[in-house]
Amino acid sequence: MATVSYEADADRSLLADKKVAILGYGSQGHAHALNLADSGIDVRVGLREGSSSAAKAREAGLKVAGLSEASAEADVIMILLPDTEHEDVFTEHVAPNLKDGDTVLVAHGFSVRFGYVSAPDGVDVALVAPKGPGHLVRRTYTEGGGVPALIAVHQDASGTARGVALAYADAIGGTRAGVLDTTFEEETETDLFGEQVVLCGGLTALVQAGFETLVEAGYQPESAYFECLHELKLIVDLMYEQGIAGMRYSISTTAEYGDLTRGPRIITDSVKAEMKKVLGEIQSGAFAEEFVGEVKGGGSRFEELRQAGKDHQIEQVGAGLRDMMPWISAGKTKVEDASGGD
């Protein structure tokens, strides 16, 4: 079982005399910077020259500097930019300004786990990963709560890397909910696996295949949309709140019996075998190499796949049906990229 730490376990004095730089002011960046500032930490936001986020950060009362300047000033540097940007930003702006005793933090282990970020021997490298989007990290903090977080240590030159990571997690509100110890390998590999096999890749492919099966059988696309996508939120919410067993208790006996007897016919041993192949690609670094190469190569295949998804019939049908249900989007804003932004 994982080690779980709370407020009483964190030593905030480990950050008391340190200057912290947050590189990026996207979903996670703004939440970390504001929560740290409200916790009394000396924080500045590092941004590219001309970044549109600079005005927002200054309006929030934060100090803003360039990426290199912020890194040079700081003792603790948290990189909250998209994974594919870590290597270039680290090489150009962070590494030249590191000194022994500094700490480099990330909120997702991808760039460190796969070798795109490698700090000198005298520098600590650790992970602080809130398990929620930035707006939730900020909102729960202002309400007196917090979002659970993960911490891990990759390089402990000072002997206090874990303590600093836990103090940082405490300062952004994580210890109010609980902070779990993990490793860079576990956080990165399970995160990528969950995204690809279940939460994003597996789920969207399942929804589209179910929709296509009904439409091809002659059913109305609108009915297929409701049954394969719209009602998904009800089931996910029940699982989120009560677990799988709780969801099954809450649905009809017809749905429960169909779940228990037909579900295993869809997710078969061959599907699980493919899941293991995907996990192997993640563990070996093959996925990371493919992804980074695609993005740095211009992303043409990425864009083709993205556009094909947008062009799928389920998107056209869904857009029309959602227009009939304005309460779905009432008060909602566009979801920000949890990996960061500039």
Side-chain angles (χ1 to χ4, degrees), residues 224-240:
Y225 177 86
F226 277 123
E227 298 304 328
C228 294
L229 192 153
H230 179 77
E231 293 189 19
L232 186 64
K233 183 180 186 304
L234 168 65
I235 302 304
V236 171
D237 283 351
L238 287 170
M239 289 196 292
Y240 180 81

Side-chain angles (χ1 to χ4, degrees), residues 290-340:
E290 175 188 328
F291 170 56
V292 173
E294 171 66 21
V295 172
K296 292 194 172 183
S300 60
R301 179 171 176 269
F302 192 2
E303 198 53 48
E304 287 175 10
L305 293 170
R306 181 181 280 159
Q307 190 59 47
K310 292 178 181 177
D311 292 340
H312 193 284
Q313 185 184 12
I314 199 171
E315 295 301 321
Q316 321 311 318
V317 174
L321 291 175
R322 288 191 297 274
D323 283 343
M324 298 166 58
M325 299 176 283
W327 59 86
I328 290 178
S329 59
K332 298 289 181 69
T333 57
K334 183 179 180 181
V335 176
E336 296 177 275
D337 178 2
S339 67

Side-chain angles (χ1 to χ4, degrees), residues 10 17 60 155 265 310:
D17 298 324
Q155 188 164 293
R265 289 170 56 182
K310 292 178 181 177

